[in-house]
Amino acid sequence: MSDPLNAEFPKIASLKTVDALNARLAALGLNLRADSDLQTGPDAPMAQPLRLGTRTLGNRWCIHPMEGWDGTDDGRPSDWTRRRWRHFGQSGAKLIWGGEAVAVRQDGRANPHQLMINEKTVGDLRDLRELLIDEHNKATGRTNGLLVGLQLTHSGRFARPNVKDRLEPKILYRHPILDKRYGLDAGLAVVTDDWIEDLIDDFIRAACLAREAGYEFVDIKHCHGYLGHEFLSAHTRPGPYGGNFENRTRFLSRIVEGITRNAPGLLVCVRLSAFDHVPFVGGPGQTGQPADTAGLLPYRYGFGVNPDNPREADLAEPIQFVRLCRQLGVGAINVSCGSPYYNPHIQRPAAFPPSDGYLPPEDPLIGAARQIETTAALKRACGEMLFVGSGYSYLQDYLPHVAQWVVRHGMADIVGIGRMVLSYWRMPGDALAGRPMERKRICRTFSDCTTGPRSGLISGCFPLDELYGSSESGQELRTIKRQIKQQGHAGG
Ligand SMILES: Cc1cc2nc3c(=O)[nH]c(=O)nc-3n(C[C@H](O)[C@H](O)[C@H](O)COP(=O)(O)O)c2cc1C
Ligand code: SF4
């Protein structure tokens, strides 16, 4: 057996059967298995309906939000965006979690081509939803049981609203590691409480517009290092939005209360980085290693981490957060973790790193299992809340087998897919119908969909989706990857 804490690990494609995968999971000591047989028909675990708010979901598959960096300058969808949303509709999944991160205003965009919601773009966002529903109808013959939400965001520390490679960060507190890593000016001020209160109004206004555009729910994004997530770790911020738990969750509470008042009937959901981890860097041989936090203990710069050992999760506050969500009337939590910027192997377990990443410091199966086990722990603690699980794409050929095992064991209510939907958008429908998997479309976690935007390009599955591979961006990406390889960086 190879060392799980070493980049040497068997590729999933080399595990030829479900039994071989299960043997590997057992050898790693992971509480995760794959079902040998996929059940189909109305009694199949993944085909079971589920009540969400006042609606009934038609099955247990979800499409995670996946941004393409391909909107127009003024925040409308492009043909690339529409094609991706058509695929979301064709997938057969009944829960479309937000489509992609949509900024509630200009200074919150993660890139100059992120979608934005305002009075000028709301009609385009309505059309986007209708396009998805139409495609779903064509692919499955029926639209009932389908729920489409919109993910609302402010990118905070990772905002690049005007120029694709220029950070214009909005920060809640000074972070000793990330500030240095991203070259933040020592004089950069944290945002004021008044600024936060204006932003809360913008989130509420955006939710009202989303309802007007027909979306059944909004996700108030609290993950991946963006602003909502940063509130949860704002231990060192003074005033009403930092310090104790109540203050650090005031942003969410105020938004949800405002939506309940101003957009009655609109369901609110939350995508949550349920645990964080210290930032990673490429160490010897470019293998990822955690930043040194020895001088920063107890660690005050993460959510869901043990302050005495921030490489370890501590779910006490995440559980408290889920209970708060329940009190506020939040319908479901989509469990994610960490950040794709500073610890990508935690958030997107992959065999191959993105260009700004590092070689996997562990077998990515451990990363996938970590997310699945965290969701299961939250479900055990707060059984009445609905949970969507993340981080499944690395399971590749066996994704549907693990999904069925997880749902059968009540470890998540719904299974979401991210990268897999970019390469193989019909996977949920094929699995539900018992059709053979299209092996050549299975995401092999090459990370080009992350490397693309890191290089200022659009995002999509360049290796497996012909349209991206042969596009101008595809050619540019190949050149960029060749240059990176020559420089000896990890992003091969
Ligand atoms: C290209 C790309 C874009 C993404 N965009 C978003 C986003 O807009 N909002 C979000 O919450 N997560 C986003 N994610 C994260 C995914 O939703 C998902 O959590 C992640 O890819 C892990 O799931 P997977 O293993 O199925 O890919 C993105 C991921 C990728 C690769
Ligand atoms: S580029 Fe394609 S194969 Fe690679 S991780 Fe993204 S979706 Fe998967």
Side-chain angles (χ1 to χ4, degrees), residues 204-263:
I204 297 167
R205 181 192 50 77
C208 293
L209 288 173
R211 186 179 69 154
E212 196 182 307
Y215 289 89
E216 280 90 2
F217 71 93
V218 287
D219 163 22
I220 308 302
K221 186 174 187 178
H222 274 66
C223 58
H224 305 162
Y226 296 113
L227 197 79
H229 185 204
E230 184 155 310
F231 273 103
L232 301 181
S233 60
H235 296 277
T236 56
R237 182 185 171 90
Y241 293 98
N244 64 28
F245 180 81
E246 189 187 347
N247 287 355
R248 285 180 282 119
T249 53
R250 191 180 305 284
F251 177 70
L252 177 71
S253 302
R254 295 271 316 273
I255 291 173
V256 180
E257 284 157 12
I259 293 175
T260 310
R261 248 191 335 270
N262 293 290

Short mmCIF file of all heavy atoms in Angstrom, two decimals, residues 204-263:
data_model
loop_
_atom_site.label_atom_id
_atom_site.label_comp_id
_atom_site.label_asym_id
_atom_site.label_seq_id
_atom_site.Cartn_x
_atom_site.Cartn_y
_atom_site.Cartn_z
N ILE A 204 -30.47 41.62 -0.09
CA ILE A 204 -31.93 41.49 0.02
C ILE A 204 -32.58 41.93 -1.31
O ILE A 204 -33.47 41.27 -1.84
CB ILE A 204 -32.46 42.32 1.21
CG1 ILE A 204 -31.87 41.76 2.52
CG2 ILE A 204 -33.98 42.32 1.26
CD1 ILE A 204 -32.04 42.65 3.74
N ARG A 205 -32.06 43.02 -1.85
CA ARG A 205 -32.58 43.51 -3.14
C ARG A 205 -32.33 42.44 -4.23
O ARG A 205 -33.22 42.14 -5.02
CB ARG A 205 -31.85 44.82 -3.51
CG ARG A 205 -32.29 45.47 -4.81
CD ARG A 205 -31.33 46.58 -5.23
NE ARG A 205 -29.92 46.16 -5.23
CZ ARG A 205 -29.35 45.41 -6.17
NH1 ARG A 205 -30.05 45.01 -7.22
NH2 ARG A 205 -28.08 45.06 -6.08
N ALA A 206 -31.15 41.84 -4.21
CA ALA A 206 -30.83 40.81 -5.21
C ALA A 206 -31.78 39.61 -5.07
O ALA A 206 -32.22 39.04 -6.07
CB ALA A 206 -29.39 40.35 -5.04
N ALA A 207 -32.09 39.23 -3.82
CA ALA A 207 -32.99 38.09 -3.61
C ALA A 207 -34.38 38.41 -4.16
O ALA A 207 -35.03 37.56 -4.78
CB ALA A 207 -33.06 37.76 -2.12
N CYS A 208 -34.84 39.65 -3.96
CA CYS A 208 -36.15 40.04 -4.49
C CYS A 208 -36.15 39.93 -6.02
O CYS A 208 -37.11 39.46 -6.63
CB CYS A 208 -36.50 41.47 -4.08
SG CYS A 208 -36.76 41.63 -2.31
N LEU A 209 -35.04 40.35 -6.64
CA LEU A 209 -34.94 40.27 -8.11
C LEU A 209 -34.91 38.81 -8.56
O LEU A 209 -35.51 38.45 -9.57
CB LEU A 209 -33.67 40.99 -8.59
CG LEU A 209 -33.70 42.52 -8.52
CD1 LEU A 209 -32.33 43.10 -8.87
CD2 LEU A 209 -34.77 43.09 -9.46
N ALA A 210 -34.21 37.96 -7.79
CA ALA A 210 -34.14 36.54 -8.15
C ALA A 210 -35.55 35.93 -8.12
O ALA A 210 -35.92 35.15 -9.00
CB ALA A 210 -33.21 35.79 -7.20
N ARG A 211 -36.32 36.34 -7.12
CA ARG A 211 -37.70 35.82 -7.06
C ARG A 211 -38.49 36.30 -8.27
O ARG A 211 -39.23 35.54 -8.89
CB ARG A 211 -38.37 36.27 -5.76
CG ARG A 211 -39.75 35.61 -5.61
CD ARG A 211 -40.45 36.00 -4.35
NE ARG A 211 -40.85 37.41 -4.38
CZ ARG A 211 -41.86 37.91 -3.70
NH1 ARG A 211 -42.57 37.12 -2.93
NH2 ARG A 211 -42.15 39.19 -3.76
N GLU A 212 -38.30 37.59 -8.60
CA GLU A 212 -39.00 38.16 -9.77
C GLU A 212 -38.64 37.39 -11.04
O GLU A 212 -39.46 37.22 -11.93
CB GLU A 212 -38.53 39.62 -9.88
CG GLU A 212 -39.36 40.52 -10.74
CD GLU A 212 -38.68 41.90 -10.74
OE1 GLU A 212 -38.40 42.45 -9.64
OE2 GLU A 212 -38.39 42.40 -11.86
N ALA A 213 -37.39 36.90 -11.10
CA ALA A 213 -36.92 36.15 -12.28
C ALA A 213 -37.37 34.69 -12.24
O ALA A 213 -37.04 33.92 -13.14
CB ALA A 213 -35.40 36.23 -12.38
N GLY A 214 -38.08 34.30 -11.20
CA GLY A 214 -38.66 32.95 -11.16
C GLY A 214 -37.88 31.93 -10.36
O GLY A 214 -38.30 30.77 -10.24
N TYR A 215 -36.73 32.31 -9.80
CA TYR A 215 -35.93 31.33 -9.05
C TYR A 215 -36.68 30.92 -7.79
O TYR A 215 -37.27 31.76 -7.11
CB TYR A 215 -34.54 31.91 -8.71
CG TYR A 215 -33.70 32.02 -9.97
CD1 TYR A 215 -33.74 33.17 -10.76
CD2 TYR A 215 -32.92 30.95 -10.40
CE1 TYR A 215 -33.01 33.26 -11.94
CE2 TYR A 215 -32.19 31.03 -11.57
CZ TYR A 215 -32.23 32.18 -12.34
OH TYR A 215 -31.52 32.26 -13.51
N GLU A 216 -36.62 29.61 -7.51
CA GLU A 216 -37.36 29.11 -6.34
C GLU A 216 -36.61 29.36 -5.03
O GLU A 216 -37.21 29.38 -3.98
CB GLU A 216 -37.60 27.59 -6.46
CG GLU A 216 -38.76 27.23 -7.38
CD GLU A 216 -38.34 27.03 -8.82
OE1 GLU A 216 -37.12 27.14 -9.12
OE2 GLU A 216 -39.22 26.78 -9.66
N PHE A 217 -35.28 29.50 -5.13
CA PHE A 217 -34.53 29.80 -3.90
C PHE A 217 -33.28 30.60 -4.23
O PHE A 217 -32.86 30.69 -5.39
CB PHE A 217 -34.19 28.52 -3.12
CG PHE A 217 -33.15 27.62 -3.75
CD1 PHE A 217 -31.81 27.73 -3.41
CD2 PHE A 217 -33.51 26.64 -4.67
CE1 PHE A 217 -30.86 26.88 -3.96
CE2 PHE A 217 -32.57 25.78 -5.23
CZ PHE A 217 -31.23 25.91 -4.88
N VAL A 218 -32.73 31.22 -3.19
CA VAL A 218 -31.42 31.84 -3.31
C VAL A 218 -30.49 31.19 -2.30
O VAL A 218 -30.92 30.76 -1.23
CB VAL A 218 -31.44 33.38 -3.07
CG1 VAL A 218 -32.09 34.10 -4.23
CG2 VAL A 218 -32.11 33.74 -1.75
N ASP A 219 -29.23 31.12 -2.68
CA ASP A 219 -28.18 30.63 -1.78
C ASP A 219 -27.39 31.86 -1.33
O ASP A 219 -26.87 32.60 -2.18
CB ASP A 219 -27.29 29.65 -2.54
CG ASP A 219 -25.95 29.39 -1.86
OD1 ASP A 219 -25.84 29.62 -0.65
OD2 ASP A 219 -25.02 28.96 -2.57
N ILE A 220 -27.32 32.07 -0.04
CA ILE A 220 -26.48 33.17 0.49
C ILE A 220 -25.12 32.53 0.75
O ILE A 220 -24.88 31.89 1.77
CB ILE A 220 -27.09 33.76 1.79
CG1 ILE A 220 -28.56 34.14 1.55
CG2 ILE A 220 -26.28 34.97 2.25
CD1 ILE A 220 -28.80 35.14 0.44
N LYS A 221 -24.23 32.73 -0.22
CA LYS A 221 -22.97 31.97 -0.26
C LYS A 221 -22.08 32.24 0.95
O LYS A 221 -21.71 33.40 1.21
CB LYS A 221 -22.23 32.33 -1.56
CG LYS A 221 -20.98 31.51 -1.81
CD LYS A 221 -20.38 31.81 -3.19
CE LYS A 221 -19.22 30.86 -3.48
NZ LYS A 221 -18.65 31.09 -4.82
N HIS A 222 -21.72 31.19 1.67
CA HIS A 222 -20.83 31.28 2.84
C HIS A 222 -19.70 30.27 2.70
O HIS A 222 -19.48 29.44 3.60
CB HIS A 222 -21.63 30.99 4.12
CG HIS A 222 -22.30 32.19 4.70
ND1 HIS A 222 -23.32 32.86 4.06
CD2 HIS A 222 -22.09 32.88 5.87
CE1 HIS A 222 -23.71 33.88 4.80
NE2 HIS A 222 -22.98 33.92 5.90
N CYS A 223 -19.00 30.31 1.59
CA CYS A 223 -17.96 29.30 1.41
C CYS A 223 -16.77 29.84 0.62
O CYS A 223 -16.82 30.92 0.04
CB CYS A 223 -18.54 28.05 0.73
SG CYS A 223 -19.27 28.35 -0.87
N HIS A 224 -15.68 29.05 0.64
CA HIS A 224 -14.55 29.18 -0.28
C HIS A 224 -13.72 30.45 -0.11
O HIS A 224 -13.06 30.88 -1.04
CB HIS A 224 -15.03 29.04 -1.74
CG HIS A 224 -15.78 27.77 -1.98
ND1 HIS A 224 -16.62 27.56 -3.06
CD2 HIS A 224 -15.85 26.62 -1.26
CE1 HIS A 224 -17.15 26.36 -2.99
NE2 HIS A 224 -16.71 25.77 -1.90
N GLY A 225 -13.81 31.08 1.08
CA GLY A 225 -12.97 32.25 1.34
C GLY A 225 -13.58 33.56 0.87
O GLY A 225 -12.99 34.63 1.06
N TYR A 226 -14.77 33.49 0.26
CA TYR A 226 -15.43 34.73 -0.16
C TYR A 226 -16.04 35.41 1.07
O TYR A 226 -15.98 34.89 2.19
CB TYR A 226 -16.47 34.43 -1.25
CG TYR A 226 -15.84 33.89 -2.52
CD1 TYR A 226 -16.07 32.59 -2.94
CD2 TYR A 226 -15.00 34.70 -3.30
CE1 TYR A 226 -15.49 32.09 -4.10
CE2 TYR A 226 -14.42 34.21 -4.46
CZ TYR A 226 -14.66 32.90 -4.86
OH TYR A 226 -14.07 32.43 -6.01
N LEU A 227 -16.67 36.56 0.85
CA LEU A 227 -17.01 37.41 2.00
C LEU A 227 -17.92 36.73 3.04
O LEU A 227 -17.66 36.84 4.24
CB LEU A 227 -17.67 38.71 1.51
CG LEU A 227 -17.68 39.78 2.58
CD1 LEU A 227 -16.34 40.47 2.71
CD2 LEU A 227 -18.76 40.82 2.29
N GLY A 228 -18.97 36.05 2.59
CA GLY A 228 -19.88 35.40 3.55
C GLY A 228 -19.13 34.45 4.45
O GLY A 228 -19.34 34.41 5.67
N HIS A 229 -18.22 33.70 3.86
CA HIS A 229 -17.39 32.76 4.62
C HIS A 229 -16.46 33.52 5.57
O HIS A 229 -16.26 33.11 6.72
CB HIS A 229 -16.60 31.89 3.63
CG HIS A 229 -15.79 30.80 4.27
ND1 HIS A 229 -14.68 30.26 3.66
CD2 HIS A 229 -15.91 30.16 5.45
CE1 HIS A 229 -14.17 29.33 4.43
NE2 HIS A 229 -14.89 29.24 5.53
N GLU A 230 -15.89 34.63 5.10
CA GLU A 230 -14.94 35.37 5.95
C GLU A 230 -15.61 35.90 7.22
O GLU A 230 -14.97 35.99 8.28
CB GLU A 230 -14.28 36.50 5.14
CG GLU A 230 -13.22 37.23 5.94
CD GLU A 230 -12.15 37.91 5.09
OE1 GLU A 230 -11.59 37.25 4.20
OE2 GLU A 230 -11.89 39.10 5.32
N PHE A 231 -16.92 36.24 7.13
CA PHE A 231 -17.60 36.68 8.36
C PHE A 231 -17.47 35.62 9.46
O PHE A 231 -17.30 35.96 10.63
CB PHE A 231 -19.10 36.91 8.09
CG PHE A 231 -19.39 38.31 7.60
CD1 PHE A 231 -19.66 38.56 6.26
CD2 PHE A 231 -19.40 39.38 8.48
CE1 PHE A 231 -19.92 39.83 5.81
CE2 PHE A 231 -19.65 40.67 8.05
CZ PHE A 231 -19.92 40.90 6.70
N LEU A 232 -17.56 34.34 9.07
CA LEU A 232 -17.62 33.28 10.07
C LEU A 232 -16.31 33.14 10.85
O LEU A 232 -16.29 32.58 11.94
CB LEU A 232 -17.99 31.94 9.41
CG LEU A 232 -19.34 31.94 8.69
CD1 LEU A 232 -19.63 30.58 8.08
CD2 LEU A 232 -20.46 32.35 9.64
N SER A 233 -15.22 33.65 10.27
CA SER A 233 -13.93 33.57 10.98
C SER A 233 -13.44 34.94 11.42
O SER A 233 -12.26 35.11 11.73
CB SER A 233 -12.89 32.91 10.06
OG SER A 233 -12.73 33.67 8.89
N ALA A 234 -14.36 35.92 11.48
CA ALA A 234 -13.93 37.29 11.83
C ALA A 234 -13.79 37.46 13.35
O ALA A 234 -14.31 38.42 13.93
CB ALA A 234 -14.92 38.30 11.24
N HIS A 235 -13.07 36.53 13.96
CA HIS A 235 -12.88 36.57 15.42
C HIS A 235 -12.22 37.87 15.87
O HIS A 235 -12.50 38.38 16.95
CB HIS A 235 -11.96 35.41 15.86
CG HIS A 235 -12.55 34.06 15.60
ND1 HIS A 235 -13.43 33.45 16.46
CD2 HIS A 235 -12.37 33.19 14.57
CE1 HIS A 235 -13.76 32.26 15.98
NE2 HIS A 235 -13.13 32.08 14.84
N THR A 236 -11.30 38.39 15.06
CA THR A 236 -10.50 39.54 15.51
C THR A 236 -11.13 40.87 15.12
O THR A 236 -10.57 41.92 15.43
CB THR A 236 -9.08 39.46 14.90
OG1 THR A 236 -9.21 39.40 13.47
CG2 THR A 236 -8.33 38.23 15.38
N ARG A 237 -12.27 40.84 14.43
CA ARG A 237 -12.91 42.10 14.04
C ARG A 237 -13.70 42.67 15.22
O ARG A 237 -14.50 41.97 15.84
CB ARG A 237 -13.87 41.85 12.86
CG ARG A 237 -14.54 43.12 12.35
CD ARG A 237 -15.57 42.86 11.26
NE ARG A 237 -16.28 44.09 11.00
CZ ARG A 237 -15.92 45.01 10.10
NH1 ARG A 237 -14.89 44.78 9.32
NH2 ARG A 237 -16.60 46.14 9.96
N PRO A 238 -13.48 43.95 15.54
CA PRO A 238 -14.29 44.55 16.61
C PRO A 238 -15.68 44.93 16.08
O PRO A 238 -15.90 44.94 14.86
CB PRO A 238 -13.49 45.80 16.98
CG PRO A 238 -12.68 46.14 15.76
CD PRO A 238 -12.48 44.87 14.98
N GLY A 239 -16.61 45.21 16.97
CA GLY A 239 -17.91 45.72 16.56
C GLY A 239 -18.93 44.64 16.31
O GLY A 239 -18.70 43.46 16.62
N PRO A 240 -20.08 45.01 15.71
CA PRO A 240 -21.23 44.10 15.65
C PRO A 240 -21.08 42.94 14.66
O PRO A 240 -21.93 42.05 14.65
CB PRO A 240 -22.39 45.01 15.22
CG PRO A 240 -21.76 46.19 14.56
CD PRO A 240 -20.41 46.36 15.19
N TYR A 241 -20.04 42.95 13.81
CA TYR A 241 -19.89 41.87 12.82
C TYR A 241 -18.65 41.01 13.05
O TYR A 241 -18.21 40.29 12.15
CB TYR A 241 -19.89 42.46 11.39
CG TYR A 241 -21.24 43.05 11.05
CD1 TYR A 241 -21.48 44.42 11.18
CD2 TYR A 241 -22.28 42.23 10.64
CE1 TYR A 241 -22.73 44.96 10.90
CE2 TYR A 241 -23.54 42.76 10.36
CZ TYR A 241 -23.75 44.12 10.50
OH TYR A 241 -25.00 44.64 10.23
N GLY A 242 -18.09 41.07 14.24
CA GLY A 242 -16.93 40.24 14.53
C GLY A 242 -16.91 39.84 15.98
O GLY A 242 -17.71 40.34 16.79
N GLY A 243 -16.02 38.90 16.31
CA GLY A 243 -15.90 38.49 17.71
C GLY A 243 -16.70 37.24 17.99
O GLY A 243 -16.38 36.17 17.47
N ASN A 244 -17.77 37.38 18.76
CA ASN A 244 -18.50 36.17 19.17
C ASN A 244 -19.36 35.60 18.03
O ASN A 244 -19.55 36.23 16.99
CB ASN A 244 -19.34 36.44 20.44
CG ASN A 244 -20.43 37.46 20.20
OD1 ASN A 244 -20.93 37.61 19.08
ND2 ASN A 244 -20.81 38.19 21.23
N PHE A 245 -19.90 34.41 18.27
CA PHE A 245 -20.65 33.69 17.22
C PHE A 245 -21.83 34.52 16.71
O PHE A 245 -22.08 34.60 15.51
CB PHE A 245 -21.12 32.34 17.79
CG PHE A 245 -21.91 31.52 16.81
CD1 PHE A 245 -21.28 30.75 15.84
CD2 PHE A 245 -23.30 31.52 16.84
CE1 PHE A 245 -22.01 30.01 14.92
CE2 PHE A 245 -24.04 30.78 15.92
CZ PHE A 245 -23.38 30.02 14.97
N GLU A 246 -22.53 35.15 17.64
CA GLU A 246 -23.72 35.93 17.24
C GLU A 246 -23.31 37.05 16.27
O GLU A 246 -23.98 37.29 15.26
CB GLU A 246 -24.37 36.51 18.50
CG GLU A 246 -25.71 37.15 18.20
CD GLU A 246 -26.29 37.86 19.42
OE1 GLU A 246 -25.77 37.66 20.54
OE2 GLU A 246 -27.24 38.64 19.22
N ASN A 247 -22.21 37.72 16.58
CA ASN A 247 -21.76 38.80 15.71
C ASN A 247 -21.28 38.28 14.35
O ASN A 247 -21.56 38.87 13.32
CB ASN A 247 -20.61 39.58 16.38
CG ASN A 247 -21.11 40.45 17.52
OD1 ASN A 247 -22.31 40.54 17.76
ND2 ASN A 247 -20.18 41.05 18.24
N ARG A 248 -20.57 37.16 14.38
CA ARG A 248 -20.00 36.63 13.13
C ARG A 248 -21.09 36.06 12.20
O ARG A 248 -20.84 35.85 11.02
CB ARG A 248 -18.94 35.56 13.43
CG ARG A 248 -17.63 36.16 13.93
CD ARG A 248 -16.58 35.10 14.22
NE ARG A 248 -16.80 34.43 15.48
CZ ARG A 248 -17.01 33.13 15.62
NH1 ARG A 248 -17.03 32.35 14.56
NH2 ARG A 248 -17.21 32.60 16.81
N THR A 249 -22.28 35.81 12.75
CA THR A 249 -23.37 35.29 11.91
C THR A 249 -24.46 36.34 11.70
O THR A 249 -25.49 36.05 11.10
CB THR A 249 -24.00 34.04 12.56
OG1 THR A 249 -24.38 34.36 13.91
CG2 THR A 249 -23.03 32.87 12.59
N ARG A 250 -24.21 37.57 12.18
CA ARG A 250 -25.22 38.64 12.05
C ARG A 250 -25.49 38.96 10.57
O ARG A 250 -26.61 39.26 10.18
CB ARG A 250 -24.72 39.90 12.77
CG ARG A 250 -25.79 40.97 12.93
CD ARG A 250 -25.23 42.21 13.66
NE ARG A 250 -24.63 41.92 14.94
CZ ARG A 250 -25.30 41.66 16.07
NH1 ARG A 250 -26.61 41.67 16.05
NH2 ARG A 250 -24.67 41.40 17.19
N PHE A 251 -24.44 38.88 9.74
CA PHE A 251 -24.60 39.16 8.30
C PHE A 251 -25.68 38.23 7.72
O PHE A 251 -26.62 38.68 7.08
CB PHE A 251 -23.24 38.93 7.63
CG PHE A 251 -23.21 39.09 6.14
CD1 PHE A 251 -23.35 40.34 5.56
CD2 PHE A 251 -22.99 37.99 5.31
CE1 PHE A 251 -23.30 40.49 4.17
CE2 PHE A 251 -22.94 38.14 3.93
CZ PHE A 251 -23.09 39.39 3.36
N LEU A 252 -25.55 36.94 8.00
CA LEU A 252 -26.53 35.98 7.49
C LEU A 252 -27.92 36.25 8.09
O LEU A 252 -28.92 36.32 7.36
CB LEU A 252 -26.12 34.53 7.80
CG LEU A 252 -27.16 33.51 7.35
CD1 LEU A 252 -27.19 33.41 5.84
CD2 LEU A 252 -26.92 32.13 7.96
N SER A 253 -27.97 36.41 9.41
CA SER A 253 -29.28 36.59 10.07
C SER A 253 -30.01 37.81 9.49
O SER A 253 -31.19 37.73 9.17
CB SER A 253 -29.11 36.81 11.57
OG SER A 253 -28.43 35.74 12.13
N ARG A 254 -29.28 38.90 9.32
CA ARG A 254 -29.92 40.13 8.81
C ARG A 254 -30.42 39.93 7.39
O ARG A 254 -31.50 40.40 7.03
CB ARG A 254 -28.92 41.30 8.86
CG ARG A 254 -28.48 41.72 10.27
CD ARG A 254 -29.41 42.77 10.88
NE ARG A 254 -29.75 43.82 9.94
CZ ARG A 254 -29.03 44.92 9.73
NH1 ARG A 254 -27.94 45.14 10.42
NH2 ARG A 254 -29.42 45.82 8.84
N ILE A 255 -29.64 39.22 6.58
CA ILE A 255 -30.07 39.00 5.19
C ILE A 255 -31.32 38.11 5.16
O ILE A 255 -32.30 38.41 4.47
CB ILE A 255 -28.93 38.38 4.35
CG1 ILE A 255 -27.81 39.39 4.16
CG2 ILE A 255 -29.44 37.89 3.00
CD1 ILE A 255 -26.56 38.85 3.49
N VAL A 256 -31.28 37.02 5.92
CA VAL A 256 -32.42 36.09 5.88
C VAL A 256 -33.68 36.79 6.40
O VAL A 256 -34.77 36.66 5.82
CB VAL A 256 -32.15 34.79 6.66
CG1 VAL A 256 -33.34 33.86 6.60
CG2 VAL A 256 -30.91 34.09 6.11
N GLU A 257 -33.54 37.56 7.49
CA GLU A 257 -34.71 38.27 8.01
C GLU A 257 -35.25 39.25 6.96
O GLU A 257 -36.47 39.36 6.76
CB GLU A 257 -34.34 39.03 9.30
CG GLU A 257 -34.22 38.09 10.50
CD GLU A 257 -33.33 38.65 11.62
OE1 GLU A 257 -32.99 39.87 11.59
OE2 GLU A 257 -32.97 37.85 12.49
N GLY A 258 -34.34 39.93 6.27
CA GLY A 258 -34.76 40.89 5.24
C GLY A 258 -35.47 40.19 4.09
O GLY A 258 -36.47 40.70 3.55
N ILE A 259 -34.97 39.03 3.69
CA ILE A 259 -35.60 38.31 2.58
C ILE A 259 -37.00 37.83 3.01
O ILE A 259 -37.97 37.93 2.25
CB ILE A 259 -34.72 37.12 2.13
CG1 ILE A 259 -33.41 37.64 1.51
CG2 ILE A 259 -35.46 36.23 1.14
CD1 ILE A 259 -32.40 36.56 1.15
N THR A 260 -37.08 37.32 4.23
CA THR A 260 -38.38 36.83 4.72
C THR A 260 -39.41 37.96 4.70
O THR A 260 -40.56 37.75 4.34
CB THR A 260 -38.21 36.28 6.16
OG1 THR A 260 -37.10 35.39 6.16
CG2 THR A 260 -39.43 35.55 6.66
N ARG A 261 -38.95 39.16 5.05
CA ARG A 261 -39.87 40.32 5.06
C ARG A 261 -40.22 40.79 3.66
O ARG A 261 -41.37 41.08 3.36
CB ARG A 261 -39.18 41.49 5.79
CG ARG A 261 -39.79 41.87 7.11
CD ARG A 261 -39.27 43.19 7.68
NE ARG A 261 -37.96 43.62 7.25
CZ ARG A 261 -36.82 43.30 7.88
NH1 ARG A 261 -36.84 42.51 8.94
NH2 ARG A 261 -35.66 43.76 7.44
N ASN A 262 -39.20 40.84 2.79
CA ASN A 262 -39.40 41.52 1.49
C ASN A 262 -39.68 40.58 0.32
O ASN A 262 -40.13 41.04 -0.72
CB ASN A 262 -38.15 42.35 1.16
CG ASN A 262 -37.99 43.49 2.13
OD1 ASN A 262 -38.76 44.44 2.10
ND2 ASN A 262 -37.02 43.39 3.01
N ALA A 263 -39.38 39.31 0.48
CA ALA A 263 -39.62 38.37 -0.63
C ALA A 263 -40.30 37.12 -0.07
O ALA A 263 -39.74 36.03 -0.16
CB ALA A 263 -38.32 38.03 -1.33
#
